[in-house]
Amino acid sequence: MNIRRALPLDAEELARVESTRPQAAGWGGKGFAGEIPQACSCVWCACEEKEIIGFLALRAAAGFAEILNVAVLPAWAKKGVGFALLSHTLKDLKKQGPYKVSLEVAQDNLPAQGLYTKAGFAKLGVRKDFYGPGKDALIMGINI
Ligand SMILES: CC(C)(COP(=O)(O)OP(=O)(O)OC[C@H]1O[C@@H](n2cnc3c(N)ncnc32)[C@H](O)[C@@H]1OP(=O)(O)O)[C@@H](O)C(=O)NCCC(=O)NCCS
């Protein structure tokens, strides 16, 4: 597996990976195509051979970063791909200086919470009804 930055021509393949995971952000091809060229945005792809098997998208500026969208293909789940993407992202950000990194994750999304906790993120708070009535989000964060 290797990890590289996404290019605009990856947008449709990223959307196919995203579509396998209802918990992902649901950007679709147009969303990825708009996001990838943004100066403050970075979309990392995990690739096996030439296939994209997972991605992590974040925006970072002026010492603050937010993780916006993450997914790993179900066939590659629980094999360390998500952790490799997150570790790579944090290492890359750290090279640019200190950052406060945060994200929202559904309160019932225990796999994703496990991933972030394993990488050192802590729970910072709760956003009530963030994903709809009765569907709260946890805010998680890490200072690197
Ligand atoms: C969250 C997600 C990206 C994790 O990717 P992954 O490659 O399967 O994760 P890893 O194999 O690197 O696992 C890292 C840690 O995450 C946690 N984890 C991953 N899958 C899990 C599961 N099914 N149940 C419980 N914990 C899980 C564990 O703590 C794991 O550490 P461990 O292997 O030492 O137990 C993946 O489950 C996914 O795509 N989920 C749907 C999309 C999503 O939820 N995105 C995040 C929205 S905020």
Side-chain angles (χ1 to χ4, degrees):
M1 184 186 67
N2 68 83
I3 295 176
R4 64 166 174 83
R5 282 187 84 139
L7 301 168
L9 55 77
D10 294 314
E12 290 302 327
E13 190 177 356
L14 286 163
R16 281 197 292 278
V17 175
E18 183 192 47
S19 71
T20 66
R21 293 296 205 165
Q23 305 90 341
W27 287 354
K30 281 190 183 156
F32 279 105
E35 187 66 21
I36 291 165
Q38 299 289 330
C40 64
S41 175
C42 184
V43 182
W44 291 107
C45 303
C47 300
E48 184 66 23
E49 305 292 324
K50 288 195 171 162
E51 184 195 9
I52 297 175
I53 59 172
F55 67 83
L56 185 155
L58 76 154
R59 286 188 177 186
F64 292 89
E66 188 170 12
I67 293 175
L68 298 173
N69 200 0
V70 187
V72 170
L73 282 176
W76 284 89
K78 292 282 297 167
K79 296 183 196 297
V81 177
F83 189 71
L85 277 164
L86 188 53
S87 303
H88 183 92
T89 298
L90 297 178
K91 200 169 155 193
D92 181 72
L93 268 180
K94 208 169 177 173
K95 278 192 249 161
Q96 300 168 40
Y99 268 90
K100 285 183 187 297
V101 187
S102 66
L103 57 90
E104 278 107 13
V105 55
Q107 202 140 29
D108 61 0
N109 188 347
L110 300 182
Q113 288 170 36
L115 167 65
Y116 301 132
T117 302
K118 184 174 177 180
F121 283 71
K123 291 176 192 172
L124 303 179
V126 176
R127 284 196 213 286
K128 290 290 285 177
D129 301 330
F130 186 77
Y131 297 106
K135 295 182 178 168
D136 299 344
L138 287 184
I139 306 165
M140 298 185 77
I142 187 171
N143 294 339
I144 55 169

